[in-house]
Amino acid sequence: MDNYPLLNLFWTMLEFFLWILWFFLLFKVISDIFRSHDMSGWGKAGWMVLVILLPLLGVLVYVIVRGKSMGERDLAQARRSEEAFQSYVRQAAGTGPSHADELAKLGELRSKGVLSEEEFQKAKEKLLA
């Protein structure tokens, strides 16, 4: 291979890429072990020992055994993040219930006798403040 420096560069880049890919998978598995709520502490410790002492075998076995639930946890986390983001956007944009809607609810509660006139006035002042 000494006669082909471009081929050496290609192999070096391939090895570098595979190492990065390996570390990404290793960190993904380790974070999933700690994120998993359906596993006991002893189960987590066992997986960590296996992943640390026999990294290649441990990661491959983990992905085979728990890969499906690993994907489900990722999907659930993405959904929670999306819901939190949407909630924040709605709150920041002020598209929640309007003051008029809240006042209408308060008026309805007052007319049903749930709120007294004094309670209605206090809630109204608080809402408009």
Side-chain angles (χ1 to χ4, degrees), residues 45 49 75 120:
V49 166
L75 185 59
F120 171 75

Side-chain angles (χ1 to χ4, degrees), residues 40-106:
S40 70
W42 287 106
K44 290 177 183 182
W47 278 112
M48 284 302 297
V49 166
L50 184 64
V51 166
I52 290 171
L53 294 181
L54 301 170
L56 183 62
L57 182 65
V59 167
L60 291 177
V61 169
Y62 187 85
V63 169
I64 290 169
V65 172
R66 297 187 48 91
K68 184 176 180 182
S69 62
M70 189 172 161
E72 291 168 355
R73 279 186 292 281
D74 281 344
L75 185 59
Q77 178 63 36
R79 284 183 184 147
R80 284 192 301 272
S81 296
E82 180 66 23
E83 288 170 4
F85 175 73
Q86 292 297 331
S87 173
Y88 172 74
V89 168
R90 279 193 292 287
Q91 179 188 12
T95 58
S98 68
H99 290 302
D101 293 336
E102 294 294 325
L103 284 173
K105 288 179 186 176
L106 287 173

Side-chain angles (χ1 to χ4, degrees), residues 5 12 16 23 27 42 64 68-69 71 84 88 96-97 101 107 110 112 127:
T12 303
F16 182 70
F23 280 117
F27 292 136
W42 287 106
I64 290 169
K68 184 176 180 182
S69 62
Y88 172 74
D101 293 336
R110 181 183 62 175
K112 289 181 179 178
L127 181 65

Side-chain angles (χ1 to χ4, degrees), residues 23-35:
F23 280 117
F24 175 78
L25 182 60
L26 180 66
F27 292 136
K28 182 78 173 162
V29 165
I30 289 173
S31 67
D32 188 69
I33 289 171
F34 287 110
R35 187 175 52 177

